[in-house]
Amino acid sequence: MRRLLPAARLLALVVGAAAAPIARASADSYNDATTGLYVATPDDFAISRGVREGYDLVLHINPTGSYPNRVEGESRLCSITFKAVPSAGTQQWLNSRWKDEAVLTQARRALDRIMEVKSEETFALRDEKAGDVIGLEVVGPSRLEPTAVVMASLVNTPRGQLQMTCALRSDQAVKAAFALRAIRDTIKPPK
């Protein structure tokens, strides 16, 4: 490796320090004024805004410390995406669709290219004012990266589709999933 001149080395350190994210151990939260979506993290996780074509809101969740580790090559631990797709259905009707085998088959098929679904279960996002929003969580090994497990949580609301997708190292997946479910459970979907 080439040795840098002292001034160039100092400049590289300054630029690198300016570009490096500041680690913090405190909890983080995000409240989107446009959609009304809210999410919070416990200590040692940070939320940042992202961009993805076709989505109205993209958030990235990353550890601020050394656990859980991101899957090698991944720039984030989790993404929360929201796409405004208004529906005439009520939240209760949308919730009931997770019991329909045709809907479940369609969801599995959509995820099949990135993961092998090993488990699926419903969960509820609590909303004191609007009632519960039921979603579907699917977990399984990644088809793209053999050392990773994918955990995806899918929610439909009358305003649109919400998804939280995480890529976990397989050796940390069980323990890390508890922390990520705790983050997911803080989500207040768009109103």
Side-chain angles (χ1 to χ4, degrees):
M1 187 163 92
R2 233 173 67 209
R3 292 180 57 113
L4 295 173
L5 298 173
R9 213 174 336 171
L10 178 60
L11 179 61
L13 285 171
V14 170
V15 169
I22 298 171
R24 57 183 172 212
S26 63
D28 201 359
S29 65
Y30 187 90
N31 192 4
D32 187 70
T34 304
T35 64
L37 184 134
Y38 172 85
V39 64
T41 67
D43 289 351
D44 300 324
F45 289 93
I47 302 169
S48 62
R49 184 87 190 246
V51 176
R52 186 170 169 195
E53 190 174 331
Y55 290 87
D56 298 289
L57 179 63
V58 176
L59 301 174
H60 299 300
I61 297 175
N62 276 303
T64 57
S66 61
Y67 182 86
N69 301 96
R70 290 192 303 248
V71 171
E72 189 172 328
E74 289 292 326
S75 61
R76 62 197 159 273
L77 183 65
C78 298
S79 286
I80 297 175
T81 57
F82 174 71
K83 183 175 190 171
V85 184
S87 169
T90 65
Q91 187 62 59
Q92 291 73 24
W93 180 78
L94 291 166
N95 288 349
S96 71
R97 308 246 317 134
W98 293 123
K99 296 177 185 171
D100 182 329
E101 189 54 43
V103 171
L104 292 173
T105 299
Q106 184 180 11
R108 285 184 214 112
R109 200 174 308 130
L111 293 167
D112 192 48
R113 73 184 200 300
I114 62 166
M115 68 185 293
E116 179 184 350
V117 176
K118 291 291 187 181
S119 72
E120 59 186 54
E121 62 184 57
T122 57
F123 62 90
L125 299 177
R126 307 281 177 210
D127 188 341
E128 300 81 35
K129 295 178 183 173
D132 290 348
V133 175
I134 304 298
L136 179 71
E137 176 190 276
V138 292
V139 179
S142 169
R143 293 194 188 280
L144 308 173
E145 172 56 55
T147 63
V149 171
V150 176
M151 184 174 114
S153 299
L154 314 170
V155 174
N156 291 315
T157 73
R159 291 241 1 240
Q161 300 167 344
L162 178 67
Q163 182 173 321
M164 180 173 166
T165 306
C166 305
L168 310 170
R169 284 185 19 182
S170 56
D171 62 330
Q172 298 177 344
V174 173
K175 186 175 177 185
F178 288 106
L180 299 176
R181 285 183 184 114
I183 294 169
R184 180 198 64 205
D185 291 346
T186 70
I187 294 174
K188 290 184 178 45
K191 298 189 179 354

